[in-house]
Amino acid sequence: MRRCDVCRVDFTGDLSECPLCGAALAGDASPSPFPAVELQRRNTMARSVLLAVTIVLLVGVVLLGICFKTPPFAVAAACVAVAVNYLFVYNVLVRAPDFLRVLQRYFLVLVAMGVLGYAATGDEAFPTFVIPMTCLVGSSFDLLLLAVYPTRAVKNYAKYLLFFVVLGLAPLVFLPLGVVRWAGLVFVSALVAAVLGISLLVFEGRQMKGELKRLFHT
């Protein structure tokens, strides 16, 4: 019988990895009384495909950088963005977290990639369009989630709601720096984030305070 030292669960059959957490199983395999399940093989195949696609993308980024004589720092930043995306998707495949939590985290990853892209290239398209648009979509998603499932949203995603209040207002910093070609998206992003923040404060303030207290004390 094989055992997962992380989950502390014993398994019969020929599994090599824990279906709960993805960790390698210790011990010798023993016959399972149940038919073989394809889920483990599909999950392994998905991770293999993800790794292959990531390698192809990394090679493609490097080749394009050489062809177009892109600065090495910009190429390195693009490679880091691809690697971060791989780690995020791999974590989803292995841990299989809540779908809504996956979306929340992916918005944060996209914002980070936008900031990284601007730091690497200095292209004003990032602070003008990419970053505020991503923040706007994330804040709008949270506002919709709060409107449809107020109790569940605050209980399960309190920290993400706060993240996007801050991130939605953050693009305003670009305005005095003079790096924004058109301020429309920046103002819209800030407006939606402000509405989200006011909604949390007015309608869910007490519950939000309780959830944040619980999060920071655990």
Side-chain angles (χ1 to χ4, degrees):
M1 182 174 292
R2 287 180 172 168
R3 179 176 177 81
C4 174
D5 294 328
V6 177
C7 301
R8 298 182 181 179
V9 177
D10 296 324
F11 295 94
T12 56
D14 58 354
L15 292 176
S16 59
E17 296 180 354
C18 176
L20 301 177
C21 69
L25 298 178
D28 298 324
S30 58
S32 173
F34 302 103
V37 179
E38 294 295 326
L39 179 61
Q40 170 72 17
R41 292 173 187 155
R42 289 178 184 174
N43 191 281
T44 302
M45 181 179 295
R47 281 183 276 173
S48 300
V49 170
L50 174 64
L51 178 61
V53 170
T54 301
I55 292 173
V56 171
L57 286 175
L58 289 173
V59 173
V61 167
V62 173
L63 291 177
L64 287 174
I66 294 173
C67 291
F68 291 98
K69 298 181 179 179
T70 306
F73 185 73
V75 175
C79 290
V80 170
V82 173
V84 169
N85 189 73
Y86 164 78
L87 292 174
F88 180 84
V89 178
Y90 180 85
N91 181 66
V92 172
L93 291 174
V94 172
R95 303 294 179 182
D98 185 336
F99 176 70
L100 293 178
R101 196 179 303 277
V102 170
L103 286 178
Q104 299 275 13
R105 292 175 180 175
Y106 201 62
F107 284 135
L108 295 176
V109 170
L110 291 177
V111 172
M113 288 183 178
V115 173
L116 183 63
Y118 176 61
T121 64
D123 191 336
E124 294 180 352
F126 284 99
T128 304
F129 300 108
V130 178
I131 296 174
M133 177 60 77
T134 307
C135 294
L136 172 60
V137 173
S139 300
S140 300
F141 173 79
D142 282 346
L143 191 58
L144 178 63
L145 185 64
L146 186 65
V148 177
Y149 305 108
T151 303
R152 179 185 175 188
V154 174
K155 182 178 181 180
N156 296 335
Y157 315 111
K159 60 182 178 181
Y160 296 105
L161 295 174
L162 280 184
F163 283 157
F164 279 100
V165 170
V166 176
L167 287 175
L169 296 171
L172 290 172
V173 175
F174 293 125
L175 296 179
L177 297 177
V179 296
V180 176
R181 303 175 195 168
W182 178 62
L185 275 177
V186 173
F187 284 123
V188 174
S189 173
L191 176 62
V192 174
V195 172
L196 176 61
I198 293 172
S199 300
L200 289 173
L201 184 63
V202 174
F203 300 108
E204 303 294 335
R206 182 175 297 179
Q207 186 183 354
M208 191 74 179
K209 182 178 179 181
E211 288 300 320
L212 291 176
K213 190 177 293 184
R214 180 182 63 82
L215 285 172
F216 288 116
H217 281 80
T218 56

